Amino acid sequence: MTSTPPPTAEVADDPEHHLDDVVPLDRRVHLELAATVLNPPTDASTLRPVDCEQIALELAGHARVVADDVRRRCALLPARDPKRVLTEAVLGEADRRLSVRPRPTLPSAQNRARLLKTLYERLDSLPPVPPASPPP
């Protein structure tokens, strides 16, 4: 019996955000990671500091992309819409939290996990951005 090597993956470094509308978010995986960090399998579960930091960085990076989607949807709402006011408050808090590098601790990773869940809740409460019409 031969074992199959695990699939390989590449990390896309896209500081100019060219891939934002091309590469779909892997929502399920990131929310599962967030749920696991928020509810470790056992009380005795421990993560090494380097693992906590890596998880926090992964969740923070994903949260930035989700925040950009939330921001685009929020911009379509009328200025005085209560959803817009709440969403702008959530985005302000997200910007503050994401401006600080995560610490190599479980509470820091949990902070990013809660933020990601909050951003997805906001995203789901807003109408989608209409697709761009193709040029004539």
Side-chain angles (χ1 to χ4, degrees):
M1 183 164 137
T2 62
S3 64
T4 316
T8 59
E10 292 184 31
V11 175
D13 182 22
D14 183 32
E16 288 85 30
H17 306 282
H18 297 290
L19 299 175
D20 285 356
D21 295 328
V22 179
V23 178
L25 295 177
D26 199 347
R27 179 180 183 148
R28 181 188 55 78
V29 170
H30 285 89
L31 287 176
E32 285 176 4
L33 178 59
T36 301
V37 168
L38 291 170
N39 300 302
T42 67
D43 291 338
S45 294
T46 58
L47 290 170
R48 298 176 309 160
V50 69
D51 294 332
C52 290
E53 184 176 33
Q54 188 61 44
I55 291 168
L57 289 169
E58 177 67 28
L59 293 173
H62 193 74
R64 283 185 186 89
V65 175
V66 176
D68 289 342
D69 283 351
V70 171
R71 200 169 274 110
R72 280 191 285 276
R73 289 185 185 193
C74 181
L76 300 175
L77 296 173
R80 297 190 188 269
D81 187 314
K83 280 187 177 184
R84 183 174 184 147
V85 173
L86 176 59
T87 301
E88 287 173 345
V90 168
L91 287 169
E93 180 62 21
D95 290 342
R96 283 186 289 283
R97 287 194 202 177
L98 293 171
S99 70
V100 177
R101 182 168 175 83
R103 293 183 313 275
T105 64
L106 181 59
S108 182
Q110 289 172 327
N111 176 289
R112 298 314 192 273
R114 283 188 292 275
L115 175 61
L116 181 62
K117 288 179 67 173
T118 300
L119 287 168
Y120 268 123
E121 288 170 6
R122 282 287 85 217
L123 185 70
D124 292 342
S125 74
L126 300 172
V129 175
S133 53

